[in-house]
Structures are given as C-alpha cells and as structure tokens.
Amino acid sequence: MTERIVRWSAINSGSWNPDGLARMADTLAQAVAHDFGEAPQRVDLPPLTRVLDTGETESVATGPALVLRRRPEAPRRVLLGIHYDTVFGPEHPFQAVREHDGKLHGPGVVDAKGGIAVMLEALRAFEASPFAERLGWTLFLNPDEEVGTLSSRPLLQELASEHDFGLVFEPALPDGSLIGARKGSGNFDVVMRGVSAHAGRDFEQGRNAVAALSTALATASGITDPARGLTVNVARVSGGGASNIVPDLAVGRLNVRMSDPADAPDAVHQLRQAVASAADRFGCTSALHGRVTSPPKPNGPGLESLIEQTLAATRDLTGQTLAVHATGGVCDGNKLAAAGLPTLDTMGPVGGDLHSDREWLDRSSLAPRAHVAAEVLARYAQGLFDPPQRTPVIADAPNE
C-alpha cells in the first residue's frame, strides 16, 4: 500500500488538470485490473464548468469515473468508493512525496490516494475469504469530488439505488475517530457588472460593481446563524483596478454550509435576494452561479448501525475503541446518503492537515484500516447483521 500511495501521489491529479486526471485514471485502471483480473468500466463524464475572474464561464474536461461490479446478482450488495482528484493543481508548489517518522507527506497521500489503497487492499482480502461468493460489491473511483462532484453525481445516485449500504474511504480523523453526521455545502460565484467611468469627472455616470458586490457579500455574511449550524464564508473577491476608475466588474466566491436540510432552500433564496437587491441599489446587473451540491448528512438508524458494526470490528481486530464525531466537512458520503444509501464515509487511513502543504498519512494505520473494512464485508456476507435501514432521500435545494 505504501508503494502505491507514493507512486500515485507523485501523479498530479488536481480537479482542473485533465491530463493528470487521465494519467491517474489509467494508472488506477491498471491497479484494479491487476488486483481483480478485470478492467474497470470507464464512464465518460461531462466537462466541469467554472466561473473565471472575467465573469465568463469555462468548460474544462474531467477524467473518467472507474466502476467495477462483482457479483451484481448477489442478494446482498455493498458500494465502495473514493475520489482520485486532489485540491493540488500542477501549479501548486506542494508536489513532492516524502516519508518521515512513520508518516507520509505529500499531495493526496491521505485525501484520498491512501483511501484508494486501503479500499483495494480490503477488497483483495475479502475476495480471498471463504465468504466472498455470498456478497456482491461495486467499486467506484471518481475525478471531481474536490469541486463538488459536479459531473459524477448522477452516476453516484444511480449506484446508490443498487446497493444496501456504502463505504467511502475518506480519511479518518487524526486520532483515528470516525465521522458520523456531516453538514451540507454549496459553492457560489457572484458576478456583478456595472459601468466604468472616470471617478472624478463622471462619477455619477458610473455604476460601481465592486461596491455592489461588497454590499451583496456583506448581506450574505449576515445569513450566518451559528446556533442553527448555518454559515456563509466569503472566500475570494476580484475586480476593479485603478482608484480613479469606477469599476465595472467584480466577482465574489463564497461557500454556504448548513446542518439542517430544510435550511438549504431558504439560504439559497436569501443569497439570491442579497445579490439582486445590491445590484438594483447600485444600478448593476448580476448573476449567481452555483448550488448546494452536498445536502447535509444527518445521523439516522442506517448510519448508526453501520457505525456500530465498524466500531465492533475495530475493537475485535485491534482492541481500539474509536470515537465518532460530527463535522462541517463534506464528501461523497453526503451525496450517497441524500440518494437514500446509508453510508459510512471515513473508512480510509489516519491522517491530517488535509488541503494544505502539511498533509500527512500515518503508515501504521494502513493495514488495520484495510483489515477492518474487509471484516465488515465478511460479517455482512455471513449475515451477521441486517441491511441497514435506508435513509430518507433529500431533495436538492432549488436553484431559483
């Protein structure tokens, strides 16, 4: 597993790097074919769309999703998966992989190329067990989780309907704890267009896009209500130029998170009102791009039963008693749960400092985490626990 993680993390597979994603997909397809004697299906996905600082949109190719189905006719079926894109593009200085004091440091070592290695090793171990023929499973590897699973989400929704529960191999917390409930999340881009003018001679003829955007974002920040678990983070602003020119363009980026699925439609509505009102006040035009891509993932009977089984397997195999925490972070477990599939999504190795140039993975956690995942599969194949209760389907927050 270590050798694979080092080799895979040396391949830049940033979400917006189609060449790197293609290379990573080829490498992973070879690994899957090597481990299971069968090449995975390649599922071509539509391109990603992003808003540029010019206010225009751009389509960018993404990599394929990889899917392998084993014994789809089995009465019991489990979905396993994890993404292969990272937040580190080819221009990011964090590219090297190194090992120090039992830890791997590098881009994607734990989020989530370490998770891929653990997942494949767990499935290899399960396939070598006497219980393999009793269980069907499907693995997926997708290229766009770090940007909201914008292209592969329909595929995940389809897979969710075919299985009893899901295991996603996002990293465990730094102390080994699991994650239960997750907040929901949506990324939004605000494009404000005004009219440029000389700030001295013709100020009244101008329409200040930066002022309008600033007003909109300040109002949007006021949507935040920590008591409800609702937050709006203004992350980036671009626009304007020389101080003697009324700026005619400004672009803002923000993230909205919520604990309660019922808060998503209202938050989006308030955000739209904030943008439209500010545009009207300053005589500008506006566009709001984005959506809630990850509905909240609350605790429920299905998730709780999966957690119970995983905690029991961990105690029996390692003697550890793990804690379970809620988090504001999101992943593909949110999408699968929203589609009705009970999903435990921290089956990967132990690590920390995700999305930073300090990212690390604890090598000593690799084998135990793979062992636990294989044990959960074996226990389910033997009928030692019932199919978890399916989760309620969460409807998308409306775009309008």
Side-chain angles (χ1 to χ4, degrees), residues 289-314:
H289 304 265
R291 59 183 293 182
V292 175
T293 53
S294 295
K297 177 174 175 268
N299 279 326
L303 177 58
E304 290 171 353
S305 69
L306 275 179
I307 289 174
E308 180 182 341
Q309 293 299 328
T310 303
L311 294 179
T314 302

Short mmCIF file of all heavy atoms in Angstrom, two decimals, residues 289-314:
data_model
loop_
_atom_site.label_atom_id
_atom_site.label_comp_id
_atom_site.label_asym_id
_atom_site.label_seq_id
_atom_site.Cartn_x
_atom_site.Cartn_y
_atom_site.Cartn_z
N HIS A 289 -24.06 32.03 -9.74
CA HIS A 289 -23.81 30.67 -10.20
C HIS A 289 -23.58 29.78 -8.99
O HIS A 289 -22.96 30.18 -8.01
CB HIS A 289 -22.56 30.62 -11.10
CG HIS A 289 -22.62 31.52 -12.28
ND1 HIS A 289 -23.04 31.11 -13.53
CD2 HIS A 289 -22.30 32.84 -12.41
CE1 HIS A 289 -22.97 32.11 -14.38
NE2 HIS A 289 -22.53 33.18 -13.73
N GLY A 290 -24.02 28.53 -9.07
CA GLY A 290 -23.74 27.57 -8.01
C GLY A 290 -25.00 26.92 -7.47
O GLY A 290 -26.12 27.26 -7.87
N ARG A 291 -24.80 26.02 -6.55
CA ARG A 291 -25.91 25.28 -5.95
C ARG A 291 -25.39 24.57 -4.71
O ARG A 291 -24.18 24.47 -4.48
CB ARG A 291 -26.47 24.25 -6.93
CG ARG A 291 -25.43 23.22 -7.38
CD ARG A 291 -25.98 22.26 -8.41
NE ARG A 291 -27.01 21.40 -7.83
CZ ARG A 291 -27.61 20.44 -8.52
NH1 ARG A 291 -27.32 20.24 -9.80
NH2 ARG A 291 -28.52 19.68 -7.94
N VAL A 292 -26.31 24.06 -3.91
CA VAL A 292 -25.94 23.19 -2.80
C VAL A 292 -25.68 21.82 -3.41
O VAL A 292 -26.61 21.10 -3.79
CB VAL A 292 -27.05 23.13 -1.74
CG1 VAL A 292 -26.70 22.12 -0.65
CG2 VAL A 292 -27.27 24.51 -1.13
N THR A 293 -24.41 21.46 -3.52
CA THR A 293 -24.04 20.20 -4.16
C THR A 293 -24.00 19.03 -3.19
O THR A 293 -24.08 17.87 -3.61
CB THR A 293 -22.66 20.32 -4.83
OG1 THR A 293 -21.71 20.81 -3.87
CG2 THR A 293 -22.71 21.29 -6.00
N SER A 294 -23.87 19.34 -1.90
CA SER A 294 -23.80 18.28 -0.88
C SER A 294 -24.86 18.54 0.18
O SER A 294 -24.65 19.36 1.08
CB SER A 294 -22.42 18.24 -0.22
OG SER A 294 -21.42 17.87 -1.14
N PRO A 295 -26.03 17.88 0.09
CA PRO A 295 -27.02 18.05 1.16
C PRO A 295 -26.46 17.55 2.49
O PRO A 295 -25.55 16.71 2.53
CB PRO A 295 -28.18 17.17 0.69
CG PRO A 295 -27.98 17.01 -0.78
CD PRO A 295 -26.50 17.02 -1.00
N PRO A 296 -26.97 18.07 3.61
CA PRO A 296 -26.50 17.58 4.91
C PRO A 296 -26.68 16.08 5.05
O PRO A 296 -27.59 15.48 4.49
CB PRO A 296 -27.38 18.34 5.91
CG PRO A 296 -27.81 19.56 5.17
CD PRO A 296 -27.96 19.13 3.74
N LYS A 297 -25.80 15.48 5.82
CA LYS A 297 -25.84 14.04 6.08
C LYS A 297 -26.07 13.84 7.58
O LYS A 297 -25.13 13.78 8.36
CB LYS A 297 -24.53 13.39 5.63
CG LYS A 297 -24.42 11.89 5.92
CD LYS A 297 -23.13 11.36 5.29
CE LYS A 297 -22.90 9.90 5.64
NZ LYS A 297 -22.08 9.76 6.86
N PRO A 298 -27.32 13.76 8.00
CA PRO A 298 -27.59 13.62 9.43
C PRO A 298 -27.39 12.18 9.90
O PRO A 298 -27.34 11.25 9.10
CB PRO A 298 -29.07 14.03 9.54
CG PRO A 298 -29.64 13.69 8.20
CD PRO A 298 -28.54 13.89 7.20
N ASN A 299 -27.29 12.03 11.21
CA ASN A 299 -27.31 10.69 11.77
C ASN A 299 -28.71 10.10 11.59
O ASN A 299 -29.70 10.81 11.55
CB ASN A 299 -26.98 10.72 13.27
CG ASN A 299 -25.49 10.81 13.51
OD1 ASN A 299 -24.70 10.26 12.76
ND2 ASN A 299 -25.10 11.50 14.57
N GLY A 300 -28.77 8.80 11.48
CA GLY A 300 -30.04 8.09 11.37
C GLY A 300 -29.81 6.63 11.66
O GLY A 300 -28.66 6.19 11.85
N PRO A 301 -30.87 5.85 11.72
CA PRO A 301 -30.72 4.43 12.07
C PRO A 301 -29.74 3.69 11.17
O PRO A 301 -28.96 2.86 11.64
CB PRO A 301 -32.15 3.89 11.94
CG PRO A 301 -33.02 5.07 12.12
CD PRO A 301 -32.28 6.23 11.53
N GLY A 302 -29.79 3.96 9.85
CA GLY A 302 -28.91 3.25 8.94
C GLY A 302 -27.45 3.56 9.20
O GLY A 302 -26.61 2.65 9.28
N LEU A 303 -27.11 4.84 9.33
CA LEU A 303 -25.73 5.22 9.60
C LEU A 303 -25.29 4.72 10.96
O LEU A 303 -24.16 4.22 11.13
CB LEU A 303 -25.59 6.74 9.52
CG LEU A 303 -24.21 7.31 9.86
CD1 LEU A 303 -23.14 6.73 8.94
CD2 LEU A 303 -24.22 8.83 9.78
N GLU A 304 -26.16 4.82 11.95
CA GLU A 304 -25.78 4.38 13.30
C GLU A 304 -25.48 2.89 13.34
O GLU A 304 -24.56 2.45 14.03
CB GLU A 304 -26.89 4.74 14.28
CG GLU A 304 -27.00 6.24 14.52
CD GLU A 304 -28.23 6.63 15.31
OE1 GLU A 304 -29.07 5.74 15.57
OE2 GLU A 304 -28.37 7.81 15.67
N SER A 305 -26.24 2.09 12.59
CA SER A 305 -25.97 0.65 12.59
C SER A 305 -24.65 0.35 11.89
O SER A 305 -23.91 -0.55 12.32
CB SER A 305 -27.13 -0.12 11.93
OG SER A 305 -27.19 0.15 10.55
N LEU A 306 -24.33 1.09 10.84
CA LEU A 306 -23.04 0.90 10.16
C LEU A 306 -21.88 1.28 11.08
O LEU A 306 -20.86 0.59 11.14
CB LEU A 306 -22.98 1.75 8.90
CG LEU A 306 -23.58 1.17 7.63
CD1 LEU A 306 -23.46 2.18 6.49
CD2 LEU A 306 -22.90 -0.13 7.25
N ILE A 307 -22.05 2.38 11.79
CA ILE A 307 -21.01 2.79 12.73
C ILE A 307 -20.82 1.73 13.80
O ILE A 307 -19.69 1.37 14.16
CB ILE A 307 -21.38 4.16 13.35
CG1 ILE A 307 -21.24 5.26 12.30
CG2 ILE A 307 -20.49 4.45 14.56
CD1 ILE A 307 -21.72 6.61 12.77
N GLU A 308 -21.93 1.20 14.32
CA GLU A 308 -21.85 0.17 15.37
C GLU A 308 -21.08 -1.05 14.88
O GLU A 308 -20.23 -1.60 15.60
CB GLU A 308 -23.26 -0.22 15.80
CG GLU A 308 -23.31 -1.29 16.88
CD GLU A 308 -24.74 -1.67 17.23
OE1 GLU A 308 -25.66 -0.91 16.93
OE2 GLU A 308 -24.91 -2.76 17.80
N GLN A 309 -21.36 -1.49 13.66
CA GLN A 309 -20.66 -2.66 13.12
C GLN A 309 -19.18 -2.38 12.92
O GLN A 309 -18.33 -3.23 13.19
CB GLN A 309 -21.30 -3.09 11.79
CG GLN A 309 -22.72 -3.61 11.91
CD GLN A 309 -22.81 -4.85 12.78
OE1 GLN A 309 -21.89 -5.67 12.83
NE2 GLN A 309 -23.94 -5.01 13.47
N THR A 310 -18.84 -1.18 12.46
CA THR A 310 -17.44 -0.84 12.24
C THR A 310 -16.69 -0.70 13.55
O THR A 310 -15.54 -1.14 13.68
CB THR A 310 -17.35 0.45 11.41
OG1 THR A 310 -18.06 0.28 10.18
CG2 THR A 310 -15.90 0.80 11.10
N LEU A 311 -17.33 -0.10 14.54
CA LEU A 311 -16.70 0.01 15.85
C LEU A 311 -16.46 -1.37 16.46
O LEU A 311 -15.41 -1.63 17.06
CB LEU A 311 -17.57 0.84 16.78
CG LEU A 311 -17.73 2.32 16.43
CD1 LEU A 311 -18.65 3.01 17.45
CD2 LEU A 311 -16.38 3.02 16.39
N ALA A 312 -17.43 -2.28 16.29
CA ALA A 312 -17.27 -3.64 16.83
C ALA A 312 -16.12 -4.36 16.13
O ALA A 312 -15.31 -5.04 16.78
CB ALA A 312 -18.58 -4.41 16.67
N ALA A 313 -16.06 -4.25 14.80
CA ALA A 313 -14.97 -4.90 14.07
C ALA A 313 -13.62 -4.33 14.48
O ALA A 313 -12.63 -5.06 14.63
CB ALA A 313 -15.18 -4.72 12.56
N THR A 314 -13.57 -3.01 14.71
CA THR A 314 -12.31 -2.38 15.13
C THR A 314 -11.89 -2.88 16.50
O THR A 314 -10.71 -3.20 16.73
CB THR A 314 -12.47 -0.85 15.14
OG1 THR A 314 -12.87 -0.40 13.85
CG2 THR A 314 -11.17 -0.17 15.54
#
